[in-house]
Amino acid sequence: MAKTVSDVLKLAKDSGAKILDLRFMDFPGLWQHFSVPIKVLTEDLFEDGLGFDGSSIRGWKAINESDMLVIPDPSSALIDPFMKPTTLTLICDVFDPITRQRYSRCPRSIALKAEAYVQSSGLADIAYFGPEAEFFVFDDIRFGQNEYSGFYFIDSQEGAWNTGKDEGPNLGYKLRHKEGYFPVPPADSLQELRSEMLLTMEACGLDVECHHHEVATGGQSEIDLKFGPLVQMADQMLWYKYIVKNTARKHGKSVTFMPKPIYNDNGSGMHTHMSLWKDGNPLFAGNGYAGLSEMALYYIGGILKHAPALIALTNPTTNSFKRLVPGYEAPVNLAYSQRNRSAACRIPVYSNSPKSKRVEFRCPDPTCNPYLAFSAMLMAGIDGIVNKIHPGEPLDKDIYDLSPVELAEVPSTPGSLGDALDALEKDHDFLLKGDVFTEDVIETWIEYKRTNEVDALRLRPHPYEFALYYDI
């Protein structure tokens, strides 16, 4: 990756780039872009930026105040691995053209402020994040919705439902529900595709640790990146999604990061590992439970205390709550444990090295906006440290084997996106510290999600309701 403006100009020249692609993040969490001739790439671009109309970007400016600026980050420069002619990409931050201040609803700007807040607090100088995003690879996807009909149809060559399909010939090797973890090919039909995704990521500078098939039938997969600093990791998650989707499309397949596209099988999460460091030393290693420091325990306390509100940002879709249900390895109970994967916070014990000590928050899913989700998790953890919020006793039993009396004492995640948004409305002061999030950002997020997603789904008949109620 380029580091300086001079590096970017050299990369453009050496690569023979013809197009400059400028990318930025919308409010809900999709990458946006526009392209210009490579001649626009000058040193002045990194000071002056380029104007664009922000009125059509979801959750942003009204049409009467739509002019905005993108200013690229030179450290983000990469050659797009899919585009022809040769295209140089730059990730940008969004600014107000009049005040020249960072736009408060720009997700990347929020993440930059979160990093600055941690450093200014003196508690740590770097926050590491390691997300483990899961996704489905499908061979066909169709859906439609209007006033008088609604449907979806998913298909996958390895789906359990296709054992009897005439595929001319059907070769079998269909993965049974909940048995996709980790059979070798030919049952795992996506090995070569994931390897191509991995190699493309590596060529783009992403540090990949592994890839494998996931538990569900129908093409569920996972590719894990090595941890990195907050903003850098969020940038890489956008490249991760871009590479996964475009590699699949090149092979006539489609990828979704939707948490629960298949009924009655495991959904896709994004377990996120976190740790704080200072002066090159890990701060989460100590002599406490599971080898954790007091700081790490307080960090967990902050995550668990604010989890209902956090989940409005880490699990931000109505579909997210079809995954966050008991019985599918989803962590719906707000507890912590050193090994128990049914706990919301887990402390991995693969290694005793102090450098490996970290906290894994298992609730998030990959529909989240990584800039907002990582920032919110960090702010909750910091609040726990500052206010010495102890997480209580660990829960090392199998949560699903607890008696009803014992289980009633374990808090659980919100049951719907509406419930999570209600929690965020009541509990968000921790996000406002250091002006990382603003009241405007929180209010806009809640209003957007309620209007465009919660109410939009609530008001529509569901196909299964006809099966339940049509003959009444």
Side-chain angles (χ1 to χ4, degrees):
M1 286 189 179
K3 296 297 181 184
T4 67
V5 173
S6 296
D7 292 335
V8 178
L9 298 177
K10 184 175 186 300
L11 175 61
K13 182 179 179 181
D14 293 347
S15 66
K18 304 295 184 184
I19 299 293
L20 176 64
D21 199 50
L22 300 170
R23 300 184 182 179
F24 57 96
M25 191 65 145
D26 74 2
F27 202 49
L30 276 179
W31 233 359
Q32 308 292 324
H33 80 132
F34 63 92
S35 300
V36 295
I38 198 66
K39 65 184 180 184
V40 175
L41 181 63
T42 65
E43 289 188 12
D44 291 343
L45 176 64
F46 296 89
E47 290 290 334
D48 300 336
L50 279 180
F52 74 104
D53 179 1
S55 63
S56 295
I57 304 301
R58 298 180 300 170
W60 277 14
K61 293 279 193 178
I63 195 166
N64 62 315
E65 51 181 12
S66 59
D67 291 343
M68 307 191 80
L69 284 177
V70 288
I71 297 181
D73 180 348
S75 70
S76 69
L78 280 175
I79 299 300
D80 190 301
F82 300 101
M83 294 295 108
K84 292 182 181 179
T86 303
T87 300
L88 174 67
T89 66
L90 286 166
I91 299 175
C92 301
D93 299 310
V94 180
F95 287 74
D96 186 293
I98 297 174
T99 66
R100 302 291 296 190
Q101 299 296 310
R102 292 182 182 276
Y103 182 39
S104 63
R105 296 186 198 173
C106 171
R108 194 171 191 265
S109 293
I110 291 170
L112 288 165
K113 287 191 290 183
E115 284 191 326
Y117 175 71
V118 172
Q119 293 167 0
S120 67
S121 73
L123 294 172
D125 53 30
I126 191 164
Y128 283 119
F129 283 77
E132 298 174 346
E134 299 165 344
F135 53 91
F136 280 87
V137 181
F138 293 139
D139 293 287
D140 189 35
I141 172 68
R142 289 176 280 138
F143 50 88
Q145 183 77 48
N146 54 39
E147 288 78 3
Y148 57 88
S149 66
F151 80 98
Y152 68 88
F153 181 84
I154 292 168
D155 206 5
S156 164
Q157 291 178 1
E158 65 174 38
W161 55 87
N162 278 326
T163 54
K165 184 179 180 181
D166 183 1
E167 295 180 337
N170 187 326
L171 301 178
Y173 301 114
K174 311 299 184 186
L175 291 172
R176 290 177 287 271
H177 289 283
K178 289 177 162 291
E179 293 188 20
Y181 197 85
F182 302 145
V184 298
D188 178 2
S189 67
L190 300 171
Q191 170 70 18
E192 292 180 345
L193 180 66
R194 290 194 310 271
S195 291
E196 183 176 338
M197 293 170 178
L198 181 155
L199 293 173
T200 306
M201 290 180 189
E202 290 268 333
C204 289
L206 280 64
D207 192 349
V208 183
E209 292 190 325
C210 70
H211 77 75
H212 57 82
H213 204 286
E214 257 298 338
V215 174
T217 187
Q220 192 182 33
S221 297
E222 179 176 324
I223 302 174
D224 294 338
L225 302 180
K226 186 177 180 180
F227 64 87
L230 190 157
V231 174
Q232 176 184 309
M233 199 71 245
D235 287 347
Q236 290 191 3
M237 278 309 301
L238 300 188
W239 273 109
Y240 176 107
K241 285 188 171 184
Y242 182 79
I243 290 167
V244 165
K245 289 178 178 179
N246 280 283
T247 304
R249 186 175 186 272
K250 188 169 73 170
H251 291 273
K253 297 180 183 292
S254 177
V255 161
T256 183
F257 289 90
M258 187 175 171
K260 193 80 168 185
I262 297 177
Y263 168 66
N264 208 29
D265 210 337
N266 285 38
S268 294
M270 191 180 77
H271 307 151
T272 303
H273 299 252
M274 297 170 280
S275 63
L276 297 179
W277 290 55
K278 187 174 184 179
D279 299 327
N281 297 310
L283 301 180
F284 279 7
N287 299 316
Y289 173 79
L292 293 178
S293 65
E294 188 176 58
M295 175 185 279
L297 288 170
Y298 289 149
Y299 190 98
I300 293 172
I303 293 288
L304 294 179
K305 176 184 177 181
H306 298 297
L310 274 182
I311 284 171
L313 293 161
T314 63
N315 302 73
T317 68
T318 58
N319 187 256
S320 298
F321 296 86
K322 292 177 171 61
R323 166 185 169 257
L324 283 182
V325 295
Y328 297 89
E329 297 187 13
V332 296
N333 297 289
L334 299 178
Y336 74 105
S337 173
Q338 65 178 334
R339 300 186 70 178
N340 196 332
R341 292 175 183 267
S342 59
C345 287
R346 188 176 75 96
I347 299 90
V349 292
Y350 299 120
S351 169
N352 290 323
S353 168
K355 294 182 178 181
S356 71
K357 284 300 171 186
R358 60 196 187 275
V359 173
E360 177 191 10
F361 187 39
R362 295 176 62 80
C363 293
D365 69 55
T367 59
C368 70
N369 184 323
Y371 297 114
L372 301 183
F374 296 166
S375 299
M377 285 185 268
L378 178 61
M379 296 301 288
I382 294 298
D383 187 66
I385 295 170
V386 171
N387 292 296
K388 295 181 165 44
I389 302 171
H390 198 278
E393 294 300 313
L395 190 60
D396 288 332
K397 301 177 182 179
D398 186 338
I399 290 177
Y400 301 122
D401 288 339
L402 294 180
S403 69
V405 174
E406 291 175 305
L407 190 59
E409 296 179 358
V410 182
S412 60
T413 56
S416 68
L417 178 58
D419 290 345
L421 293 169
D422 289 345
L424 178 61
E425 193 168 44
K426 295 173 184 175
D427 176 26
H428 61 260
D429 285 350
F430 69 99
L431 296 173
L432 305 179
K433 302 292 176 61
D435 198 38
V436 174
F437 288 77
T438 63
E439 285 284 3
D440 172 67
V441 165
I442 301 299
E443 290 170 3
T444 302
W445 181 265
I446 292 171
E447 180 184 3
Y448 180 91
K449 288 287 175 177
R450 281 177 175 163
T451 301
N452 294 282
E453 299 178 34
V454 175
D455 287 348
L457 188 69
R458 180 175 59 85
L459 296 173
R460 283 172 167 80
H462 189 284
Y464 192 58
E465 289 177 313
F466 287 85
L468 290 173
Y469 310 127
Y470 187 79
D471 60 346
I472 291 178

